[in-house]
Amino acid sequence: MFRKRTRRTGLCRRFGFPGAALLAGTLALGGCAAEAGPPTLTWYINPDAGGQASIAAECTREAGGRYRIETSLLPNDAASQREQLARRLAAGDTSLDIMSLDPPFIPELAEPGFLAPVPKETARRTSRGVVDGALAGARWKGELVTVPFWANTQLLWYRKSVAEAAGLDMSRPVTWDQIIDAARKQQKFLGVQGARAESMTVWVNALIESAGGRIIVNPEASADRIQLGLESEAGAKAADIVSTIGAEGLGGPGLPTQDENNSMILFQGAQGSFMVNWPFVWPATNAAVENGGLDASLPEDIGWGLYPRIDPDRPSAPPLGGINLGVGAASRHPHLAYQAIECIVSPENQADYFLTNGNPPSNTRAYEDPRVADAFPMAQTIRESLELSAPRPQTPYYNEVSTGIQQHWTPPSAVDPQSTHHSTAEFILAVLRGEKLL
């Protein structure tokens, strides 16, 4: 974790810290001269299908010469994105005007003051109509420190034929016990993510939150005062579900290395039954059908609903994903950066981004676009799921917490419902006290 901010260096804005040349490869420092024309805002984006670059171009046009936005691509995986941005922020890099940030890493950047404050009027305007889950993931210590851009959540996808054979009424919420029982009796596979990756933390957190618990009881506490909620009835229930699916082989033979794409492929096959996964599943499945890779009748057999419940009488707490936008504290143009962000996150741009890149809006107004319902018939279920969603633990020590969970809850077949939640808590606390290493 990066706790101390260093002094700003004297290098040019694109390479704002001593190690930047390593990141820039063989590029020369030819851009150190003063900017000519309108200020250029650099937007560091996560990889997508070109949607963020298109929005940058559109907002540049709308700016009318006040600024222009250029994009810079971050690494593919979230952990590498976090590391690159955190190091550059700690070094006072002035090029970090706008950043696409994964919500779990925001407290680590906000706590040491690496993010420029969100102006009150910007916070008010960009919070209007935004789903609760996305706002929760954008805050730190009660303050909005980033602006929600797009939000994401997992749905329960199901094969209608399997649900019908199990006698399940999918117009009503179903539980993990029900879908486990249905898959077991019909000798089908459940689509879950069992790899040692961030997807495991996503799964464990959703299970514990759905059971009414919390992974961290006091997420704003210092490392020596953090209290974990893993050692609870909710933690035990989560371990029981993961263990059952792993030990009984219900997640398929590839479960120990299964990510979101692999679980989708499993679900699309003859032994598919139920799956928890992100909305990308729908356009990806239809594209595979159009390309001849899947049977044309498959989409008709696919249904969707809210994330499975733990308790029949308690609403589930689906996973929250997505991207928020932050401004680096060392940016030379924070005021313009937040003007640009307000353009980027407009409901119109969010709707377009959903349609072109498949990433759901955080603003409810975007779901009113009739094009959205045509392309994503499950759009209102996504919106409802986002209202129920719970972010992963908001803590500056998220990396330690997530890595500890990944190490102790994989492979799923090795999870012990009697002890794994206890041993995980002991390990994470030992790491935070400096007694053990990840």
Side-chain angles (χ1 to χ4, degrees):
M1 179 188 152
F2 302 87
R3 297 182 177 84
K4 183 182 290 186
R5 181 175 166 189
T6 60
R7 294 182 60 190
R8 190 181 306 179
T9 66
L11 297 179
C12 68
R13 75 182 297 275
R14 179 169 299 284
F15 305 108
F17 68 103
L22 297 175
L23 295 173
T26 59
L27 292 176
L29 293 176
C32 292
E35 291 179 289
T40 296
L41 305 175
T42 305
W43 178 9
Y44 286 83
I45 61 172
N46 59 305
D48 65 2
Q52 290 170 102
S54 295
I55 293 175
E58 176 61 28
C59 288
T60 295
R61 285 192 292 271
E62 291 185 19
R66 286 179 291 122
Y67 57 78
R68 56 187 305 273
I69 306 172
E70 65 178 27
T71 58
S72 181
L73 193 63
L74 290 166
N76 282 318
D77 64 287
S80 297
Q81 293 170 22
R82 162 196 169 267
E83 182 176 2
Q84 182 179 133
L85 289 174
R87 290 187 182 279
R88 298 181 75 158
L89 286 165
D93 185 351
T94 60
S95 78
L96 299 171
D97 299 307
I98 305 171
M99 299 168 288
S100 291
L101 301 172
D102 205 1
F105 302 127
I106 288 171
E108 180 182 11
L109 305 180
E111 180 66 16
F114 290 165
L115 302 178
V118 180
K120 289 184 179 180
E121 283 302 301
T122 297
R124 182 182 62 82
R125 287 189 291 264
T126 57
S127 297
R128 190 182 301 133
V130 174
V131 294
D132 291 340
L135 284 174
R139 294 190 180 107
W140 176 238
K141 293 185 174 178
E143 297 289 333
L144 197 74
V145 294
T146 56
V147 174
F149 175 26
W150 59 273
N152 212 352
T153 187
Q154 289 192 357
L155 303 182
L156 173 64
W157 303 86
Y158 61 91
R159 301 290 289 270
K160 295 177 182 178
S161 54
V162 174
E164 183 179 358
L168 293 177
D169 180 2
M170 299 306 294
S171 67
R172 301 174 60 84
V174 296
T175 66
W176 280 97
D177 287 342
Q178 286 177 303
I179 65 174
I180 286 173
D181 186 59
R184 182 190 290 129
K185 288 181 177 177
Q186 297 182 56
Q187 297 184 326
K188 302 287 187 178
F189 292 140
L190 293 171
V192 292
Q193 294 81 50
R196 180 169 292 186
E198 181 63 19
S199 55
M200 177 54 72
T201 305
V202 169
W203 188 16
V204 172
N205 185 70
L207 291 174
I208 291 176
E209 290 277 348
S210 293
R214 299 286 186 275
I215 288 179
I216 301 181
V217 176
N218 55 342
E220 296 180 5
S222 58
D224 59 338
R225 293 183 179 275
I226 280 184
Q227 300 174 27
L228 300 181
L230 285 163
E231 298 181 277
S232 63
E233 184 177 345
K237 185 60 180 176
D240 182 58
I241 290 171
V242 174
S243 173
T244 298
I245 293 173
E248 295 188 22
L250 295 174
L255 181 59
T257 58
Q258 198 158 272
D259 60 11
E260 292 88 346
N261 282 317
N262 290 328
S263 59
M264 176 185 67
I265 293 170
L266 183 75
F267 173 75
Q268 293 167 337
Q271 288 185 279
S273 62
F274 300 86
M275 172 181 65
V276 287
N277 215 328
W278 310 98
F280 82 92
V281 165
W282 185 247
T285 299
N286 282 281
V289 168
E290 292 175 7
N291 294 333
L294 292 173
D295 190 275
S297 64
L298 177 61
E300 297 178 3
D301 192 39
I302 295 178
W304 51 83
L306 294 175
Y307 201 79
R309 294 184 174 189
I310 300 288
D311 184 328
D313 299 321
R314 180 193 295 274
S316 61
L320 173 71
I323 288 294
N324 292 350
L325 300 181
V327 175
S331 166
R332 292 180 178 176
H333 309 290
H335 180 65
L336 291 177
Y338 276 115
Q339 288 184 27
I341 284 175
E342 290 198 48
C343 175
I344 292 168
V345 304
S346 71
E348 295 76 18
N349 281 336
Q350 289 192 33
D352 286 342
Y353 194 53
F354 193 16
L355 294 167
T356 58
N357 283 245
N359 294 322
S362 64
N363 195 302
T364 57
R365 285 175 52 198
Y367 289 89
E368 299 169 6
D369 189 318
R371 299 174 301 161
V372 167
D374 289 341
F376 292 89
M378 69 294 302
Q380 291 307 313
T381 304
I382 294 172
R383 173 178 170 174
E384 184 179 354
S385 181
L386 285 169
E387 294 286 7
L388 294 170
S389 64
R392 280 157 278 172
Q394 301 291 100
T395 170
Y397 310 100
Y398 181 80
N399 184 58
E400 290 84 346
V401 172
S402 179
T403 304
I405 290 171
Q406 293 173 41
Q407 290 180 0
H408 283 72
W409 290 66
T410 57
S413 59
V415 172
D416 185 341
Q418 303 299 319
S419 63
T420 294
H421 51 305
H422 295 293
S423 61
T424 307
E426 292 171 0
F427 176 75
I428 292 173
L429 291 175
V431 169
L432 293 175
R433 291 192 295 260
E435 299 168 0
K436 290 186 177 181
L437 298 175
L438 289 174

